[in-house]
Amino acid sequence: MNAPVSPIERLHLELPELDWITDPGRIARLSQDFAWFSPVLDRQLKDKRADAVVRPRTEDEIRALVSACARLNVPITIRGSGTGNYGQTTPLAGGVVLDMTAYNAVQWVRPGVARAQTGIRLGELEKHTKASGQELRCIPSTYRSATLGGLFGGGFGGVGSINYGPLGAPGNVLGSRAMTIEPEPQIVELRGAEALRMHHLWGTNGLVLELEVALAPAHPWLESLVVFDAFDKALAFGNALAHAPGIVKREVAFFASPVPDHLAQLAEYLPKGCHAVLSLVDESSEVPMLELMQAHGGTMSYRKTAEEVRKSNRTLMEFTWNHTTLHALKVDKTLTYLQSSFVPGQQVEQITAMEELFAGEVLMHAEFLRNLDGLITCSALQLVRFTTEERLGEIIRMHRERGVRINNPHTFIVEDGKAGGALAPEIVEMKRRFDPQGLLNPGKLRDWPVSR
Ligand SMILES: Cc1cc2nc3c(=O)[nH]c(=O)nc-3n(C[C@H](O)[C@H](O)[C@H](O)COP(=O)(O)OP(=O)(O)OC[C@H]3O[C@@H](n4cnc5c(N)ncnc54)[C@H](O)[C@@H]3O)c2cc1C
């Protein structure tokens, strides 16, 4: 008697023309992201695998796959480039990983707006927008490999958020084209706030095919490192630079000692034990920036013009946000990290208080940005000398007790990360509408049953 055909085998038989990845090693690799930054997630997720990975090239191929998965009740985990940090692309219930990277065309670029298929890498999209003197409003430090859909589904913001806030700030994402997960998939155009209801939901409440994003004018960015001998002076300079309304900027990051000692590739510019501010300012803003630096007692140790950056293909952007953590982990594997946000107007006091409280255990790395209300504050990605999960929990609690918000990067549950504990009713409604069978990335929403 023949063995029964599994749903995954049925998929292969029904859709042989799709680009299936069958090598077990590649399936294992494409089932993981950068969750290993967290010892907690690493333990929980490292053995989780998809049953198959598929890389569709057209909307018709995506539709055929989604339809078959819905009929056969096969879970789908959408993947961009897998640079997410919380196991966002790791399937908990097997099924198919739907790799979007071959679905990557630019539809159009117009003054102030661009539209593209979501599998496009952000660096590639920006090459297109630069042709008309425009750039993306906020990009993660992983922009070279990360996709547009991955930033929307799993990201927050990054370089550029000092001007435009997080990606979720109204006006940054203008619309999307999304597909429902049903035997007869429907395609829906969503605008404004409705489109944002799929943002940062880890691909659990809709498959986003295209995104329309607002653009910023591109500037020739001067990349620099300014070093200090004192924590307070460096933090005050970063804060002043972030606030200075006439200094045009794209990025301001503060690294308290000993964080700079962990950036081995920049060691020649970062004297041991220094505190540093990394920034990208418009070349025309260099003089006022230098004046501010002198007023705070800093020294510029690294300076590259936009042209030098372009020619060298090396950018300080790849030392910011969670890239700082990545570089530090290369030097010291016992580190992990936190993500926190400070009360606007109190960031200097709160950062200073946390430094005093956790000196030597929680190493301060803060990124200046505008929050959703347009107020300048900091988002920190502190390095943590990891000892036990209990101590990590205690550190998180101690921050919260002192009014510092923690977006816990050590959980794979959407509600327990950034969503603030519960899903808003309109998000739940989106889930019901776009994924009625609960097949998208099952197990990531706490209150959504996993049936298989
Ligand atoms: C070193 C490092 C630095 C980082 N720096 C930043 C940073 O500066 N800012 C920041 O925000 N993040 C940062 N991240 C996290 C991550 O790189 C970004 O969020 C990135 O944009 C994710 O893109 P990706 O293509 O790799 O997405 P993936 O990891 O592949 O996917 C992320 C999530 O989006 C979902 N998704 C992907 N495509 C779609 C789609 N088409 N429709 C619906 N859902 C979809 C996936 O299911 C998944 O849940 C960093 C991570 C690392 C490792």
Side-chain angles (χ1 to χ4, degrees), residues 162-205:
I162 182 73
N163 298 315
Y164 296 97
L167 186 74
N172 288 333
V173 173
L174 301 170
S176 73
R177 179 178 169 87
M179 185 181 278
T180 63
I181 311 299
E182 299 176 281
E184 294 295 330
Q186 297 168 52
I187 291 183
V188 186
E189 181 74 20
L190 301 167
R191 306 300 303 174
E194 208 183 12
L196 278 173
R197 288 180 198 151
M198 287 182 189
H199 168 51
H200 212 266
L201 268 297
W202 305 8
T204 56
N205 73 344

Side-chain angles (χ1 to χ4, degrees), residues 226-242:
V226 175
V227 295
F228 296 82
D229 58 10
F231 178 98
D232 295 353
K233 287 193 236 171
L235 180 56
F237 169 67
N239 196 48
L241 182 59

Side-chain angles (χ1 to χ4, degrees), residues 178-182 186 188 190 193-198 201 204-207 415 422-438 440 445 447-448:
M179 185 181 278
T180 63
I181 311 299
E182 299 176 281
Q186 297 168 52
V188 186
L190 301 167
E194 208 183 12
L196 278 173
R197 288 180 198 151
M198 287 182 189
L201 268 297
T204 56
N205 73 344
L207 197 175
E415 295 93 323
L423 299 180
E426 59 273 18
I427 304 286
V428 174
E429 172 50 28
M430 215 65 173
K431 172 76 176 166
R432 289 214 176 88
R433 179 175 162 202
F434 279 85
D435 184 25
Q437 294 170 236
L440 281 177
L445 296 182
D447 298 330
W448 220 271

Side-chain angles (χ1 to χ4, degrees), residues 231-232 235 239 342-357 364 378 402 404:
F231 178 98
D232 295 353
L235 180 56
N239 196 48
F342 300 92
V343 179
Q346 295 177 30
Q347 63 272 13
V348 169
E349 292 74 20
Q350 287 187 319
I351 287 174
T352 308
M354 291 307 107
E355 174 71 8
E356 282 164 10
L357 192 61
M364 185 53 72
C378 283
R402 287 158 179 81
V404 178

Side-chain angles (χ1 to χ4, degrees), residues 235-313:
L235 180 56
F237 169 67
N239 196 48
L241 182 59
H243 280 84
I247 298 183
V248 180
K249 62 205 81 104
R250 200 183 189 192
E251 165 69 25
V252 181
F254 164 66
F255 305 128
S257 175
V259 174
D261 299 347
H262 293 79
L263 305 178
Q265 290 172 40
L266 297 174
E268 62 185 296
Y269 311 102
L270 295 167
K272 200 154 175 46
C274 75
H275 308 267
V277 172
L278 179 161
S279 70
L280 268 67
V281 303
D282 186 89
E283 288 178 1
S284 67
S285 292
E286 183 174 10
V287 171
M289 197 259 250
L290 288 173
E291 286 167 357
L292 206 57
M293 175 191 87
Q294 276 150 11
H296 287 85
T299 308
M300 189 175 279
S301 60
Y302 180 100
R303 176 190 179 278
K304 293 276 180 271
T305 63
E307 185 54 15
E308 286 168 333
V309 170
R310 193 188 61 75
K311 277 196 189 138
S312 68
N313 198 26

Side-chain angles (χ1 to χ4, degrees), residues 78 80-85 88 118 141-142 147 150-151 155-157 202 208 321:
I78 309 164
S81 295
T83 67
N85 287 113
Q88 291 165 316
T118 50
S141 57
T142 45
T147 62
L151 175 63
F156 162 75
W202 305 8
V208 185
W321 294 84

